[in-house]
């Protein structure tokens, strides 16, 4: 059951790009959709664990978690709705590269040979994915590419900070992450809407409210499934199962016209996934550093 719960979560997130695009076509920018989706989860935790707010508001380090989680969702959800889904997801999963560097900086972890190997694999994979057709430096070629890279960095920061704050209450950490999805994404959307860069929420008709509510419930169930599964499995197993999101996103994007797969992307993606698998194997050798609670491995 824990593995099935994690697979359900990965399936929801792997397919999330399609409804984000549908809502965008109906007049709701992905950032506004993100706010709607996380609002339900935030309210659920707030009403069931009101005391968690005191711990969250009184712990500045959890504000960093809120910012990192919010920026993760802002970048990832906007990126998959905007560009090639496969490229965005693969660049997002450069997270192990950023995690090594941030763990060294924030947690003081030493760099191991295995960590160096997965950094090299991740960098090589990124170079393949980002390499332009006519040659030249591997660099993000679109806003979506940049959002995928930035989202993966923020996700790594989110996870490293959650490991740093492992002694904090699980509900306070969950509040930090859900608050980021609501307040950070909402603040970014409002600021850009005020500057005329994105549109204010304007669904074509009220009939869209029902699928939006349904999607919010689905995401809430997805988060609960992740908490159930990750709380009962070793962190390395959780990390491996969650990688199901990548083939789900890739196959759905290829089938529904949300992305393209060429040789460079395939080779680069294989290297990036190999780096993520090595990250999971390294965790299995460090049982004392398993994820403190399910929110530590929650997706964007």
């Amino acid at each position: 059951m824990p593995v099935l719960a994690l697979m359900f979560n990965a399936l929801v997130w792997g397919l999330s790009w399609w409804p984000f695009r549908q809502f965008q076509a109906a007049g709701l920018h992905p950032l506004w959709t993100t706010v709607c989706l996380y609002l339900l989860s935030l309210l659920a935790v707030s009403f069931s664990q009101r005391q968690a707010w005191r711990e969250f508001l009184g712990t500045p380090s959890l504000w960093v978690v809120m910012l990192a989680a919010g920026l993760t969702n802002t970048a990832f959800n906007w990126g998959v709705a905007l560009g090639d889904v496969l490229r965005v997801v693969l660049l997002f999963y450069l997270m192990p590269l950023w995690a090594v560097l941030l763990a060294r900086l924030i947690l003081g972890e030493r760099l191991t040979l295995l960590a160096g190997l997965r950094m090299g694999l991740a960098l090589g994979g990124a170079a393949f994915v980002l390499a332009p057709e006519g040659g030249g430096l591997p660099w993000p070629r679109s806003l979506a590419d940049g959002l995928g890279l930035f989202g993966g960095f923020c996700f790594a920061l989110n996870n490293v900070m959650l490991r740093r704050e492992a002694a904090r209450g699980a509900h306070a950490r969950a509040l930090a992450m859900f608050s980021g999805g609501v307040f950070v994404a909402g603040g970014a959307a409002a600021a850009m809407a005020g500057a005329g860069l994105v549109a204010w929420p304007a669904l074509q008709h009220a009939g869209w409210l029902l699928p939006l509510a349904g999607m919010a419930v689905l995401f809430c169930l997805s988060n609960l499934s992740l908490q159930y599964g990750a709380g009962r499995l070793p962190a390395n197993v959780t990390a491996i199962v969650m990688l199901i999101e990548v083939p789900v996103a890739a196959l759905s994007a290829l089938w529904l016209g949300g992305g393209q797969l060429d040789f460079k992307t395939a080779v680069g993606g294989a290297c990036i996934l190999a780096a993520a698998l090595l990250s999971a194997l390294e965790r299995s050798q460090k049982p004392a550093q398993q994820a403190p609670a399910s929110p530590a491995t929650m997706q964007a």
Side-chain angles (χ1 to χ4, degrees):
M1 288 300 295
V3 172
L4 290 176
L6 291 178
M7 290 177 66
F8 171 72
N9 177 267
L11 181 66
V12 169
W13 278 103
L15 297 174
S16 65
W17 66 271
W18 189 81
F20 272 113
R21 292 192 175 191
Q22 305 310 306
F23 286 118
Q24 184 175 30
L28 195 64
H29 191 275
L31 297 185
W32 295 120
T33 304
T34 299
V35 174
C36 296
L37 298 184
Y38 275 95
L39 185 59
L40 178 62
S41 297
L42 179 62
L43 291 175
V45 176
S46 298
F47 284 116
S48 63
Q49 301 290 335
R50 297 181 183 179
Q51 70 279 6
W53 274 104
R54 181 177 300 176
E55 182 179 2
F56 167 51
L57 295 175
T59 310
S61 54
L62 289 181
W63 305 349
V64 179
V65 174
M66 178 185 72
L67 180 63
L71 290 175
T72 297
N73 282 281
T74 297
F76 181 81
N77 295 344
W78 190 4
V80 294
L82 183 66
D84 187 302
V85 175
L86 184 55
R87 289 173 62 88
V88 173
V89 171
L90 288 176
L91 292 173
F92 179 85
Y93 268 93
L94 284 171
M95 188 266 294
L97 167 64
W98 312 125
V100 170
L101 301 176
L102 290 170
R104 173 64 181 170
L105 179 64
I106 297 174
L107 304 178
E109 292 187 358
R110 64 185 183 88
L111 296 177
T112 65
L113 180 62
L114 191 58
L117 177 59
R118 58 187 168 99
M119 286 177 65
L121 273 173
L123 283 172
F128 269 104
V129 172
L130 295 173
E133 292 293 340
L137 293 175
W139 195 253
R141 68 185 186 192
S142 66
L143 175 59
D145 285 356
L147 289 170
L149 284 169
F150 182 65
F153 174 83
C154 293
F155 188 42
L157 175 60
N158 174 73
N159 287 349
V160 170
M161 285 301 300
L162 283 170
R163 287 170 57 193
R164 181 179 181 270
E165 301 302 315
R168 305 294 178 187
H171 292 102
R173 286 181 280 129
L175 268 181
M177 298 188 71
F178 296 149
S179 297
V182 174
F183 299 123
V184 176
M192 288 190 288
L197 300 177
V198 305
W200 291 99
L203 285 172
Q204 293 173 352
H205 53 79
W208 280 99
L209 295 177
L210 183 59
L212 182 61
M215 190 175 175
V217 172
L218 188 63
F219 268 59
C220 187
L221 293 175
S222 173
N223 287 323
L224 291 174
S225 297
L226 178 60
Q227 293 182 37
Y228 172 82
R232 289 164 174 78
L233 293 172
N236 62 301
V237 176
T238 296
I240 291 173
V241 176
M242 290 300 294
L243 285 176
I244 293 174
E245 177 189 343
V246 178
V248 168
L251 293 175
S252 63
L254 294 174
W255 184 29
L256 299 173
Q260 296 180 341
L261 180 64
D262 54 25
F263 177 75
K264 292 192 293 81
T265 304
V267 173
C271 293
I272 291 171
L273 289 177
L277 286 172
L278 280 176
S279 175
L281 291 174
E282 188 172 21
R283 289 187 208 177
S284 68
Q285 298 173 3
K286 300 177 181 179
Q289 293 184 3
Q290 287 185 359
S294 54
T297 49
M298 193 184 81
Q299 173 59 18

